[in-house]
Amino acid sequence: MYCEECKQRPATVHLTQMYNGKKVEIHLCEACAAQKGAFMFDVASNFSIPNLLGSLFGSNFNLPEVQTQLPGRVCPNCGMSLNDIMNTGRLGCSECYTAFEKELEPTLRRVHGNSEHVGKVPARGGEKVMVKKKIEHLKQQLQQAVAAENYEKAAEIRDTIKDTEKKLG
Amino acid sequence: MKADNLLNSNFVRWMAADEGPESDIVISSRIRLARNLNLIPFPQILDRESGKKSLQTIEEAWSKSTTPDLKEMELLTFDRLTALERKMLVEKHLISPGHAESDESFRGVLTNQDGSLVIMINEEDHLRIQCFLPGLQLEECYRQAQQIDDDLEQHLNFAFDERRGYLTSCPTNVGTGMRASVMLHLPAIAISGQINQIFHNIAQLGMTVRGIYGEGTEVIGNFFQLSNQVTLGQTEEDIINNLTGITKRIIEQERLLRERLREDMKYQLEDRVGRAYGILSSARVMNSNEAMALLSDVRLGVDLGILAKITAFALNELVVAIRPAHLQKKVGKEMDAFHRDIERAEVIKERLAATREH
Ligand SMILES: [Zn+2]
Ligand SMILES: [Zn+2]
């Protein structure tokens, strides 16, 4: 197997990366791996800077533009402004995520990629999420049943979906 | 007070090397889950009054808990611990240095007796549920931490968002809120000069490596902490499997290089180990960096059978016992750096002599 990057030297470094729960395999020669690795490591070492958020905002935003929007815009729950968040590198409360959703987006994308949560869901406050996930799952089953022309089962699943959707209110 | 053990002895559970798989290379495993109370301001902007409320809410949930591991814990608030005692918890790796700086009554820890389960309260997040075990045991750490999390969430409204997952004070932790890490001893990889290349490969996999015990980023004693960087878009199982897999590959490489060292550089290796042991068992003044470097050589010697009769447990314990707060606790007074260096040499000599007698 040849290196996927230079396609000249044999691939001796085999990496498995997880993206949204999917495995992606990469095969590289040592030279290319070192080069790629060095680049990635530079990015990673930025993470350790204490005011991470501030620096990330800085590189993702046209600062003057953001600052003109700043006055008066604070989180309705905790009173933190975007300026406060940039200075401390920390959010003020759970509601800050909603209040500054747009401004946080590039930071989250840079740190975590373009991802959504797929892990554990709390039993409390997570009921709706669980119900939604169940409905999604049922809809997949419904499609399969229809594809298999199993209409009796499809009708059954459709009823279950209706019942489940009532729980969402 | 049962948790007194943590302040009056050196022992914490992760030191028990004979209980941990791969403990010749993996010193310990840790899982940390960040959780926050919905709508209550995150700890760094809490004033004393809302801080008390946050602690009260957590205490109430704790009092209703049914999981034995959680029920048996003890609450230590930081107004009841001296600065030295809080530093001892840092030196045992149970809490962060930032957390130890506070003497507020609304900050503290919920901890069990042997320090395997420790919840930091009102640190950067309202709750940081941590499990520490010896060797490579990330799955077991997660199982135990999750049990605590499951019980607490019966009684607490955690800040959670469908898309973002668990909401945390720093956006680098959102999603699972989980940080998994292993502490590794990699002397052969370090001697062979491959450490940078391995760092590069690891970084590419969304993991970070940092040295431990250094002031800042300096790596001392060939100890490295490997953790996941990404917390969003992966399940807890993915993160643990991924980190465990990478750790196993590093273990293979370290073992291979240790074997090669033993074959190709037998005399140099035995000389290095013997000298380290000689200095440790007869020096009178020893600073922390030198001690860590020599202890790393001795540990390698023990792992390769060059030195017998020193257990990995004794070495794990020493690494904590020679740190400033533990030295000062032992002597019972504050000491300047020079006097700590004298006491450090003494503690090392005592411990090595004790293991020889067995
Ligand atoms: Zn290549
Ligand atoms: Zn807020």
Side-chain angles (χ1 to χ4, degrees):
Chain A
M1 188 187 298
Y2 282 93
C3 168
E4 290 176 3
E5 196 73 15
C6 64
K7 297 179 177 69
Q8 285 174 3
R9 291 175 288 263
T12 50
V13 180
H14 309 282
L15 307 167
T16 314
Q17 225 160 348
M18 299 296 298
Y19 257 102
N20 282 328
K22 260 181 240 147
K23 264 189 200 164
V24 185
E25 297 218 336
I26 307 165
H27 310 279
L28 300 169
C29 69
E30 263 178 44
C32 290
Q35 216 171 24
K36 253 196 142 126
F39 170 69
M40 294 293 292
F41 195 60
D42 277 343
V43 175
S45 64
N46 285 338
F47 287 136
S48 59
I49 297 169
N51 56 359
L52 162 98
L53 199 53
S55 64
L56 288 185
F57 267 128
S59 56
N60 280 294
F61 275 94
N62 185 349
L63 277 180
E65 196 180 302
V66 174
Q67 261 149 11
T68 54
Q69 299 172 355
L70 279 182
R73 273 213 56 205
V74 296
C75 167
N77 185 51
C78 71
M80 287 274 273
S81 68
L82 193 56
N83 234 339
D84 296 333
I85 294 177
M86 283 168 68
N87 288 335
T88 59
R90 299 285 184 273
L91 280 77
C93 75
S94 49
E95 293 311 289
C96 287
Y97 279 95
T98 315
F100 304 112
E101 192 179 358
K102 267 207 194 97
E103 291 85 345
L104 278 170
E105 195 61 50
T107 300
L108 286 169
R109 210 179 302 133
R110 177 145 170 203
V111 178
H112 298 288
N114 202 3
S115 317
E116 292 198 3
H117 182 60
V118 292
K120 188 177 179 179
V121 172
R124 255 165 90 98
E127 296 98 339
K128 278 198 176 168
V129 183
M130 300 240 245
V131 171
K132 276 189 196 164
K133 283 196 173 158
K134 192 179 169 193
I135 292 173
E136 262 169 47
H137 183 69
L138 283 168
K139 281 186 177 160
Q140 277 175 6
Q141 283 187 326
L142 176 63
Q143 274 183 351
Q144 280 167 7
V146 172
E149 298 186 358
N150 189 346
Y151 297 111
E152 211 170 305
K153 192 174 176 199
E156 227 172 80
I157 297 172
R158 211 171 277 128
D159 287 343
T160 320
I161 292 177
K162 266 186 201 152
D163 286 345
T164 318
E165 272 172 342
K166 276 178 201 154
K167 286 185 201 164
L168 282 176
Chain B
M1 195 162 74
K2 292 165 291 175
D4 255 5
N5 290 340
L6 294 178
L7 306 171
N8 292 323
S9 80
N10 295 329
F11 180 75
V12 268
R13 182 65 175 276
W14 63 255
M15 293 174 182
D18 51 341
E19 291 173 13
E22 323 280 7
S23 61
D24 54 331
I25 292 167
V26 186
I27 311 292
S28 62
S29 300
R30 183 195 73 177
I31 291 287
R32 191 188 77 197
L33 303 174
R35 298 290 185 258
N36 284 287
L37 305 173
N38 204 27
L39 298 176
I40 296 182
F42 293 146
Q44 96 269 6
I45 58 167
L46 280 180
D47 55 29
R48 198 163 286 169
E49 200 175 313
S50 35
K52 271 184 194 159
K53 230 180 274 167
S54 151
L55 174 64
Q56 240 170 39
T57 311
I58 293 166
E59 268 195 272
E60 248 166 65
W62 173 44
S63 70
K64 290 181 201 150
S65 65
T66 51
T67 310
D69 280 343
L70 183 56
K71 274 170 77 172
E72 284 161 16
M73 283 191 187
E74 203 167 326
L75 177 67
L76 303 175
T77 53
F78 283 168
D79 56 325
R80 288 162 50 211
L81 299 185
T82 64
L84 186 81
E85 289 173 327
R86 298 196 299 270
K87 274 198 196 116
M88 288 177 72
L89 296 179
V90 177
E91 292 179 353
K92 285 186 161 84
H93 299 179
L94 302 181
I95 66 171
S96 61
H99 198 36
E101 272 169 31
S102 168
D103 60 359
E104 287 286 355
S105 60
F106 66 87
R107 297 187 210 271
V109 288
L110 264 171
T111 177
N112 68 353
Q113 252 186 89
D114 65 6
S116 57
L117 286 164
V118 179
I119 306 174
M120 288 194 275
I121 294 174
N122 289 327
E123 193 237 23
E124 200 181 291
D125 296 297
H126 291 129
L127 292 151
R128 283 194 166 180
I129 305 165
Q130 312 175 97
C131 180
F132 308 85
L133 292 174
L136 183 57
Q137 302 196 62
L138 287 170
E139 264 173 62
E140 177 59 18
C141 285
Y142 179 61
R143 195 189 64 75
Q144 294 192 23
Q146 201 196 6
Q147 230 181 4
I148 305 279
D149 182 43
D150 283 344
D151 196 338
L152 285 171
E153 75 172 26
Q154 302 289 314
H155 316 290
L156 293 171
N157 285 318
F158 285 149
F160 182 85
D161 173 276
E162 203 175 319
R163 274 173 56 228
R164 304 251 182 267
Y166 289 95
L167 302 177
T168 51
S169 165
C170 183
T172 51
N173 297 320
V174 290
T176 58
M178 185 174 89
R179 196 73 62 198
S181 23
V182 287
M183 202 191 296
L184 306 168
H185 183 230
L186 305 174
I189 290 177
I191 289 171
S192 71
Q194 290 189 8
I195 210 92
N196 280 336
Q197 198 193 332
I198 286 185
F199 276 19
H200 293 163
N201 293 346
I202 286 167
Q204 204 161 3
L205 300 166
M207 306 282 160
T208 49
V209 191
R210 56 189 195 90
I212 63 155
Y213 285 122
E215 321 279 312
T217 53
E218 202 183 344
V219 172
I220 296 164
N222 301 317
F223 289 103
F224 301 92
Q225 190 182 45
L226 174 63
S227 5
N228 64 303
Q229 185 59 62
V230 174
T231 52
L232 188 66
Q234 300 183 3
T235 65
E236 288 81 359
E237 287 77 15
D238 282 346
I239 293 171
I240 288 168
N241 290 339
N242 217 5
L243 190 62
T244 303
I246 292 167
T247 304
K248 283 187 172 157
R249 253 185 260 175
I250 296 176
I251 292 172
E252 264 170 44
Q253 182 71 358
E254 172 70 19
R255 292 226 170 97
L256 187 84
L257 290 169
R258 283 183 186 190
E259 231 17 77
R260 224 181 265 171
L261 269 181
R262 185 151 58 176
E263 279 164 23
D264 302 347
M265 300 175 73
K266 183 175 187 298
Y267 294 101
Q268 294 97 317
L269 187 67
E270 289 180 7
D271 181 66
R272 182 171 168 155
V273 170
R275 278 168 194 273
Y277 186 81
I279 295 171
L280 287 172
S281 48
S282 46
R284 289 301 309 272
V285 184
M286 173 83 57
N287 72 35
S288 179
N289 289 7
E290 187 187 8
M292 289 301 293
L294 295 172
L295 282 170
S296 170
D297 288 347
V298 164
R299 184 186 275 272
L300 178 62
V302 170
D303 291 339
L304 292 178
I306 298 168
L307 286 172
K309 289 188 180 174
I310 304 175
T311 60
F313 165 68
L315 292 170
N316 284 345
E317 197 196 359
L318 252 184
V319 160
V320 170
I322 61 171
R323 307 216 60 211
H326 278 80
L327 289 174
Q328 295 179 80
K329 174 80 177 183
K330 180 172 179 282
V331 174
K333 61 172 188 206
E334 260 185 60
M335 289 185 291
D336 61 19
F338 180 66
H339 288 91
R340 289 203 303 265
D341 288 353
I342 296 174
E343 183 60 27
R344 181 175 295 113
E346 204 53 43
V347 167
I348 293 170
K349 253 190 294 194
E350 270 169 30
R351 199 77 184 96
L352 291 182
T355 53
R356 247 195 320 261
E357 282 155 20
H358 280 283

